[in-house]
Amino acid sequence: MMTTPFEAFSFAKRIPSTPSIGSTTVTKPDHIHLSFGFAAPHLFPIEELSQAAYEAVSLHGRTALQYSGSGGPRKILEWIQNRSLVHGIQAELPQILVTYGSTQGIDIAARILLDPGDHVWVESPSFFSALQAFRAAEAVITSFPIDEDGLRVDLVENALLEARRQNKPIPKFVYTMPTYHNPGGVTLTTERRARLAELAETYNFFIVEDDAYSELNFTGNKYPPLYTLLPGRVIYLNTFSKIIGPGLRLGWMIADRRVIDKARLLNLGGSIGVFTQEILAQLLDRLAFQEHVDQLSQHYHKQRDIMAEAIKSSFGDHVTFHLPEGGFYIWLRFGEAVNTSDFLREAAERGVSFVDGKSFFAKPEGYHYARLCFSYVSEEQILRGVNILADAYFAYEEQRLFGVTKQRHL
Amino acid sequence: MMTTPFEAFSFAKRIPSTPSIGSTTVTKPDHIHLSFGFAAPHLFPIEELSQAAYEAVSLHGRTALQYSGSGGPRKILEWIQNRSLVHGIQAELPQILVTYGSTQGIDIAARILLDPGDHVWVESPSFFSALQAFRAAEAVITSFPIDEDGLRVDLVENALLEARRQNKPIPKFVYTMPTYHNPGGVTLTTERRARLAELAETYNFFIVEDDAYSELNFTGNKYPPLYTLLPGRVIYLNTFSKIIGPGLRLGWMIADRRVIDKARLLNLGGSIGVFTQEILAQLLDRLAFQEHVDQLSQHYHKQRDIMAEAIKSSFGDHVTFHLPEGGFYIWLRFGEAVNTSDFLREAAERGVSFVDGKSFFAKPEGYHYARLCFSYVSEEQILRGVNILADAYFAYEEQRLFGVTKQRHL
Ligand SMILES: Cc1ncc(COP(=O)(O)O)c(C=O)c1O
Ligand SMILES: Cc1ncc(COP(=O)(O)O)c(C=O)c1O
């Protein structure tokens, strides 16, 4: 019956044309996924969680399975409130919105702050799913570099001055990962945080602070969340993905109550998975959280050291990187002429995956970077994986510098 | 520090200014919620589900807690595929997308089909969260009445002819609840289904078919899903909310693979709660689904009859309604001069809530309707609730017809 061709329909322009990365199709069991920004599965609190799941359903099943008002179980909100205090964040319960992971938090922030054509300023590199969300909101994305101390706030400031002078658009918001940046691994200094908050205040834009990794702290160094510096203009996002498990798809947003009210309007009257929230509430009740998170941090700290050592011994001076104070990632910088996308497939065939640099940039750039993740894999896999990756790289280098003109990796 | 006033920032225009209804703040324990479109909690498969939850976490916890590729567990997709076949829907696995309830399905459909200013045609009345999603997508919403046989497809056809003739916009899609309409309770006839599909084909628009209630069938009558009539132009939405429990927040979309691919792009690389899906997969494994759904249908059927009788005896000829063949709702039509919003508070004070007619319309209309839901409450509550509601209504009527000019219910 269908005679009108599919192509005759014009879909919304807002749909990005390229998929966000973040999943892979490789399923070989011995493949080493240095690409996955995943939690270490052996540290999931499975025992406590299976108990929690059983009890949540048998004790609270009839409410857990029902629709609830937009708030969700109060216990989770209170847990978030208390844990936030540890990081200096004071928030009333109505300022906290539980989201389907911080990915949804980013999406909601974009949808409430942006009209099509509005400007968003991001770091380069940035988190690919965030870039995808901003594209879906039809934003104009402008990138600012990071260095060892995080976002180059001085360049943001210059651009703002310039924009003001030339009557060009000020961003609706700056999206930043100030602590243990993904993929950069860097952390924004306290001074730069203060300056960025001042700029947001002066120029009347929001900061979307993506704080997914802050609990995974290897050094004990503390930095004030941007939220604490300018609560009225910061939308703070965090997630249970890195501290409990991403499969829960639960995260949270903290912001001015009026921002949260707008976010709720987008929630279309349905609250976020009460069922999963009840289970999580039970889990948080029985989990010694500080101990749990200390254990995670210790583990990831060790993994970072192993990876850093392996990189040094396998790559020598072919790469540089910042040793992250926390989080999941090491961001390798190769020589300018290197294009890491060009040995992605070679590496995969040899049994290792990583994410090539260009995936983290809004524009075509960043080719000479690669992101390695030390969280998901075992020690042994890190050692073997980095080794194999180096082999793939050196084979590519040889080809590039001395090889026949016919490229093997197109 | 914050000196720029909050109001100085302009949020996205797409944020609806009014909240979607669907939750209530009444928490008195003996309050009778004829407003809630909720499942009967005593029919939740709690026993099976707590077992399923325990086993899913202890057996599959390490994958259930992890990020997964965009597909989610294959078992759920296969269950959906098989169950769809019972309703005549043939779909390959890549045509199935698991969503956070059908509410998210509606939102995704709106986001992939609509640019701001695009046209959507809906039924009047329609589902309030859908209206909210279309407003959030900045659509122009046009409504078409329903009658005993569902959407007035003839009026849709006239409007299409007229639009073509006058070179006015054709809708990007028609959003419809063909089976056991919420709130109307009516079902679209087979002939009208065929005609609507033909129109979509001829005029090149999509149909978003919201089929949330089709499993709750009181008569055995069968109607072909619109999807089966025009698979290339129908986005079919369904949900586990009415057959298992809404707290899971799991539903699904079936559509042309190219539509699903676009929907996945909006998913920003994260799949939908693998954790909950694994639990659901375990549940579906151990639940005799046909028996379960037969039990639900029988129960709701009985509840419908009790409510219909109660309405007749309490309201007499002050109301008319269509006896629904399935679903959750009875849609009361009062005399034209009645405004049900005007006795909403009176009824609430007497201990009964319902949803006033205007909530289901895109424009200010429908004041003389009210939606009652027979699914959530007990038999006894139905009898008592309808009685109290009638008291509130007759008190209002007396006031309206013979009362002092000073209105009590403003
Ligand atoms: C910076 C950052 N934000 C957000 C996320 C997404 O987290 P969630 O699982 O909460 O959506 C990630 C996960 O990789 C991340 O690295
Ligand atoms: C017609 C219709 N569609 C969708 C929904 C939402 O269902 P879900 O819980 O799957 O989001 C409802 C629930 O009331 C409904 O009545």
Side-chain angles (χ1 to χ4, degrees):
Chain A
M1 172 172 177
M2 190 70 191
T3 55
T4 319
F6 193 80
E7 292 66 29
F9 187 88
S10 73
F11 286 87
K13 286 191 286 288
R14 67 184 104 211
I15 304 304
S17 58
T18 50
S20 171
I21 72 151
S23 64
T24 179
T25 47
V26 178
T27 48
K28 262 188 288 169
D30 62 342
H31 192 85
I32 301 172
H33 297 280
L34 302 182
S35 52
F36 284 3
F38 286 16
H42 74 279
L43 294 178
F44 287 144
I46 298 291
E47 187 59 34
E48 293 90 339
L49 191 61
S50 50
Q51 278 299 331
Y54 183 80
E55 294 206 1
V57 182
S58 38
L59 299 177
H60 305 288
R62 294 190 206 288
T63 49
L65 274 173
Q66 205 52 280
Y67 288 107
S68 90
S70 49
R74 192 183 166 90
K75 264 195 184 173
I76 302 259
L77 297 177
E78 285 171 350
W79 185 91
I80 293 169
Q81 184 180 47
N82 289 329
R83 188 68 200 172
S84 301
L85 267 182
V86 175
H87 300 280
I89 295 177
Q90 292 191 329
E92 303 299 317
L93 296 188
Q95 289 182 259
I96 304 172
L97 180 73
V98 173
T99 59
Y100 288 121
S102 42
T103 303
Q104 197 209 19
I106 296 168
D107 192 45
I108 290 177
R111 292 174 79 188
I112 62 179
L113 297 176
L114 298 173
D115 283 313
D118 276 349
H119 288 245
V120 177
W121 290 6
V122 303
E123 291 148 340
S124 57
S126 188
F127 175 45
F128 35 76
S129 298
L131 295 176
Q132 195 77 338
F134 305 152
R135 286 187 198 110
E138 295 173 82
V140 180
I141 303 173
T142 309
S143 310
F144 293 83
I146 57 172
D147 64 17
E148 298 279 296
D149 292 332
L151 173 63
R152 287 282 305 273
V153 175
D154 58 324
L155 297 182
V156 172
E157 180 163 5
N158 290 347
L160 287 165
L161 276 167
E162 197 64 16
R164 205 30 60 94
R165 213 168 8 233
Q166 302 191 12
N167 225 346
K168 283 193 183 154
I170 298 291
K172 280 310 195 69
F173 64 87
V174 170
Y175 167 75
T176 175
M177 291 162 279
T179 308
Y180 322 142
H181 190 279
N182 173 11
V186 297
T187 297
L188 194 66
T189 59
T190 304
E191 297 69 37
R192 288 194 188 177
R193 287 172 194 245
R195 190 69 196 127
L196 184 60
E198 279 165 17
L199 293 173
E201 219 269 293
T202 308
Y203 288 89
N204 190 26
F205 57 84
F206 269 84
I207 296 170
V208 175
E209 176 175 26
D210 185 347
D211 203 27
Y213 299 96
S214 59
E215 293 282 5
L216 308 173
N217 178 338
F218 307 156
T219 63
N221 294 347
K222 302 248 177 182
Y223 303 87
L226 289 160
Y227 180 83
T228 62
L229 305 175
L230 193 67
R233 277 290 183 280
V234 176
I235 297 179
Y236 175 89
L237 303 175
N238 210 327
T239 175
F240 288 102
S241 288
K242 317 295 167 179
I243 50 180
I244 305 290
L248 293 175
R249 308 308 306 124
L250 289 175
W252 66 91
M253 174 185 284
I254 296 178
D256 188 284
R257 196 176 165 157
R258 290 161 293 186
V259 172
I260 296 294
D261 287 346
K262 284 180 194 292
R264 281 192 217 287
L265 287 177
L266 273 185
N267 249 346
L268 307 174
S271 63
I272 299 301
V274 197
F275 180 77
T276 324
Q277 286 194 61
E278 283 289 356
I279 294 175
L280 178 60
Q282 287 285 325
L283 174 70
L284 293 171
D285 244 12
R286 66 187 69 215
L287 187 70
F289 184 76
Q290 189 59 54
E291 256 171 58
H292 172 68
V293 91
D294 287 345
Q295 198 191 348
L296 294 179
S297 297
Q298 272 163 34
H299 174 72
Y300 293 133
H301 186 171
K302 199 166 118 221
Q303 300 271 107
R304 177 204 71 175
D305 289 344
I306 292 164
M307 182 175 272
E309 276 315 306
I311 291 169
K312 278 182 205 150
S313 77
S314 296
F315 285 92
D317 59 6
H318 282 251
V319 298
T320 55
F321 61 90
H322 175 83
L323 193 69
E325 293 183 27
F328 278 5
Y329 308 105
I330 290 185
W331 181 233
L332 293 183
R333 180 196 173 99
F334 289 84
E336 294 276 348
V338 170
N339 182 344
T340 62
S341 310
D342 285 347
F343 57 92
L344 201 63
R345 206 206 301 166
E346 177 70 32
E349 274 164 15
R350 290 170 186 247
V352 175
S353 55
F354 65 97
V355 187
D356 51 348
K358 72 172 196 295
S359 302
F360 299 92
F361 292 83
K363 286 180 305 185
E365 56 176 318
Y367 297 101
H368 61 300
Y369 288 93
R371 189 191 79 177
L372 306 190
C373 178
F374 51 77
S375 59
Y376 177 67
V377 284
S378 68
E379 282 188 32
E380 186 273 323
Q381 285 178 312
I382 291 180
L383 296 173
R384 201 150 45 85
V386 171
N387 228 321
I388 295 173
L389 184 61
D391 288 348
Y393 162 71
F394 284 114
Y396 153 83
E397 267 298 85
E398 207 170 290
Q399 181 75 17
R400 187 172 71 84
L401 297 173
F402 315 111
V404 284
T405 47
K406 172 171 164 295
Q407 287 254 325
R408 275 169 63 213
H409 314 98
L410 271 186
Chain B
M1 172 174 177
M2 191 69 190
T3 55
T4 319
F6 192 80
E7 293 66 29
F9 186 88
S10 73
F11 286 87
K13 286 191 285 289
R14 68 184 103 211
I15 306 303
S17 57
T18 51
S20 170
I21 72 153
S23 66
T24 179
T25 48
V26 178
T27 48
K28 263 189 288 170
D30 61 342
H31 191 86
I32 300 172
H33 296 281
L34 301 182
S35 53
F36 284 1
F38 286 15
H42 75 279
L43 295 178
F44 287 146
I46 297 292
E47 187 61 31
E48 293 90 340
L49 191 62
S50 50
Q51 279 298 330
Y54 182 81
E55 293 205 3
V57 182
S58 38
L59 298 177
H60 306 287
R62 295 189 208 286
T63 48
L65 274 174
Q66 204 53 277
Y67 288 106
S68 89
S70 49
R74 191 183 166 91
K75 264 196 183 172
I76 302 261
L77 297 176
E78 286 171 349
W79 186 91
I80 293 169
Q81 184 180 46
N82 289 330
R83 188 69 200 171
S84 300
L85 268 183
V86 176
H87 299 280
I89 295 177
Q90 291 191 329
E92 302 299 317
L93 296 188
Q95 288 182 261
I96 303 173
L97 179 74
V98 173
T99 60
Y100 288 121
S102 43
T103 303
Q104 197 209 19
I106 296 168
D107 192 44
I108 290 177
R111 293 174 80 189
I112 61 180
L113 298 176
L114 299 173
D115 283 314
D118 277 348
H119 288 244
V120 177
W121 291 5
V122 302
E123 291 148 339
S124 59
S126 187
F127 176 46
F128 35 75
S129 298
L131 295 177
Q132 196 76 339
F134 306 151
R135 287 188 197 110
E138 295 173 83
V140 180
I141 303 173
T142 308
S143 310
F144 294 84
I146 57 172
D147 63 18
E148 298 279 297
D149 292 331
L151 174 62
R152 289 280 306 273
V153 175
D154 59 323
L155 297 181
V156 171
E157 179 163 6
N158 291 346
L160 287 165
L161 275 168
E162 196 64 16
R164 207 24 64 95
R165 213 168 7 232
Q166 303 191 11
N167 224 345
K168 281 193 183 155
I170 297 291
K172 281 309 195 71
F173 64 88
V174 170
Y175 167 75
T176 176
M177 292 162 278
T179 308
Y180 322 141
H181 189 279
N182 173 10
V186 296
T187 296
L188 194 65
T189 59
T190 303
E191 297 69 38
R192 288 194 187 176
R193 287 172 195 246
R195 190 70 197 125
L196 184 60
E198 280 166 14
L199 293 173
E201 221 269 292
T202 309
Y203 288 89
N204 190 25
F205 58 84
F206 270 84
I207 296 170
V208 175
E209 176 175 25
D210 185 346
D211 203 28
Y213 298 95
S214 59
E215 293 282 5
L216 308 173
N217 178 339
F218 307 156
T219 63
N221 294 347
K222 302 248 175 182
Y223 302 87
L226 290 160
Y227 180 83
T228 62
L229 304 176
L230 192 69
R233 278 292 183 279
V234 175
I235 297 180
Y236 175 89
L237 303 176
N238 209 328
T239 175
F240 288 101
S241 287
K242 317 294 169 182
I243 50 181
I244 304 291
L248 293 175
R249 309 306 307 124
L250 289 175
W252 66 92
M253 175 186 282
I254 296 178
D256 187 284
R257 199 177 162 154
R258 290 162 292 186
V259 172
I260 297 294
D261 287 345
K262 284 180 194 293
R264 280 192 218 287
L265 288 176
L266 273 185
N267 249 350
L268 307 173
S271 63
I272 298 302
V274 197
F275 179 76
T276 323
Q277 288 194 59
E278 284 289 356
I279 294 176
L280 178 60
Q282 287 285 326
L283 174 70
L284 293 171
D285 244 12
R286 65 186 70 214
L287 187 70
F289 183 76
Q290 190 59 53
E291 255 171 57
H292 172 68
V293 91
D294 287 346
Q295 199 191 348
L296 294 179
S297 298
Q298 271 163 35
H299 175 73
Y300 293 133
H301 186 172
K302 198 165 120 219
Q303 300 271 107
R304 177 204 71 175
D305 288 344
I306 291 163
M307 183 176 270
E309 276 314 306
I311 291 168
K312 279 183 203 149
S313 77
S314 296
F315 284 93
D317 59 4
H318 282 252
V319 298
T320 55
F321 60 92
H322 175 84
L323 193 69
E325 293 183 26
F328 278 5
Y329 308 105
I330 290 185
W331 181 232
L332 293 183
R333 180 195 172 101
F334 289 84
E336 293 276 348
V338 170
N339 182 342
T340 62
S341 310
D342 285 346
F343 57 93
L344 199 63
R345 206 206 299 167
E346 176 71 33
E349 275 164 16
R350 290 170 188 247
V352 174
S353 55
F354 65 96
V355 187
D356 50 349
K358 72 170 197 296
S359 302
F360 299 92
F361 293 83
K363 287 179 304 183
E365 56 176 317
Y367 296 101
H368 61 302
Y369 289 92
R371 188 190 79 177
L372 306 190
C373 177
F374 51 77
S375 59
Y376 178 65
V377 284
S378 68
E379 282 188 32
E380 185 273 323
Q381 285 178 314
I382 291 180
L383 295 173
R384 202 150 45 85
V386 171
N387 227 321
I388 296 173
L389 185 61
D391 287 348
Y393 161 72
F394 285 112
Y396 154 83
E397 268 299 85
E398 206 171 292
Q399 181 75 16
R400 188 173 72 83
L401 297 173
F402 317 110
V404 285
T405 46
K406 173 173 163 293
Q407 287 255 324
R408 276 167 63 213
H409 312 100
L410 272 184

